């Protein structure tokens, strides 16, 4: 399954997160989680956007257990599917039942993806709290831990460039 690249280079009002900024943001978010006293047992990334923030938080919080749940929602800049869709493989429900989870995503934009995942995990018997780098005022969920709030489109360092393809890397197909 191919992934899209949301080219936001022509948007005049956008927030750009650099790799250095990401490093700082992750440490600050981890500090807020620790200061709150929440001690998750497992970090769950909402893939793909939450993969790097979740890994960063797992290391910063000293957690070895991490997993991911795959959700598709955005199809381009400011374009979404009608509803978020869970993609296989799914999490092992028995492994998370009764556990303290930290669900991590890059942004709570509409918040619908985060709401879907939190409801699903809580329905499986887990205690789930959420952390995001960015939250927007349009989100239907107010995440438990937020690094920054914005109403602008966000360009993340891991998605700022288009995917590397055989054609782009070699100048020839496949």
């Amino acid at each position: 399954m191919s992934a899209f690249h949301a080219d936001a280079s022509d948007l005049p009002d956008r927030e750009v997160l650099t790799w250095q900024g990401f490093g700082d943001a992750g440490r600050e978010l981890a500090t807020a989680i620790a200061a709150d006293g929440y001690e998750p047992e497992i970090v769950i990334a909402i893939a793909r956007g939450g993969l790097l923030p979740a890994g960063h938080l797992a290391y910063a919080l000293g957690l070895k257990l991490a997993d991911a749940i795959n959700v598709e929602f955005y199809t381009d800049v400011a374009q979404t599917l009608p509803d978020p869709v869970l993609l296989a493989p799914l999490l092992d429900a028995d492994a998370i039942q009764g556990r303290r989870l930290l669900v991590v995503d890059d942004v709570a934009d509409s918040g619908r993806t985060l709401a879907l995942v939190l409801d699903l995990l809580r329905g499986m018997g887990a205690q789930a709290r959420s952390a995001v780098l960015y939250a927007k005022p349009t989100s239907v969920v107010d995440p438990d831990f937020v690094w920054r709030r914005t109403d602008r489109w966000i360009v993340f360092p891991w998605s700022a460039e288009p995917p590397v393809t055989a054609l782009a890397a070699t100048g020839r197909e496949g």
Side-chain angles (χ1 to χ4, degrees):
M1 173 183 285
S2 293
F4 77 95
H5 169 67
D7 183 3
S9 59
D10 61 341
L11 292 179
D13 190 28
R14 64 186 189 275
E15 173 120 5
V16 177
L17 182 64
T18 64
W19 283 111
Q20 179 64 50
F22 169 62
D24 296 341
R27 291 300 293 188
E28 290 174 25
L29 199 51
T31 299
I33 294 164
D36 182 74
Y38 186 59
E39 296 180 0
E41 298 171 272
I42 306 170
V43 173
I44 305 291
I46 297 178
R48 294 176 311 162
L51 288 170
L52 276 76
H56 189 346
L57 287 174
Y59 272 100
L61 294 169
L63 298 170
K64 290 194 179 263
L65 297 179
D67 208 336
I69 188 164
N70 298 290
V71 182
E72 182 178 22
F73 191 39
Y74 273 86
T75 58
D76 205 341
V77 174
Q79 292 181 352
T80 65
L81 297 173
D83 292 299
V85 177
L86 292 172
L87 303 174
L90 300 179
L91 295 174
D92 178 359
D94 293 335
I96 62 170
Q97 186 172 10
R99 305 293 290 269
R100 290 183 312 277
L101 308 180
L102 182 64
V103 178
V104 181
D105 207 354
D106 53 357
V107 60
D109 193 330
S110 72
R112 292 172 57 200
T113 298
L114 189 57
L116 172 74
V117 172
L118 289 170
D119 289 347
L120 176 73
L121 298 176
R122 289 171 180 156
M124 293 176 167
Q127 301 170 41
R129 294 183 73 186
S130 58
V132 297
L133 294 174
Y134 290 93
K136 294 193 176 182
T138 53
S139 178
V140 297
V141 172
D142 187 20
D144 297 289
F145 305 100
V146 178
W147 175 66
R148 183 169 288 161
R149 296 183 185 274
T150 186
D151 60 357
R152 300 187 301 172
W153 181 263
I154 305 143
V155 178
F156 293 98
W158 50 85
S159 59
E161 299 291 327
V164 176
T165 64
L167 179 59
T170 65
R172 55 190 158 84
E173 302 227 13

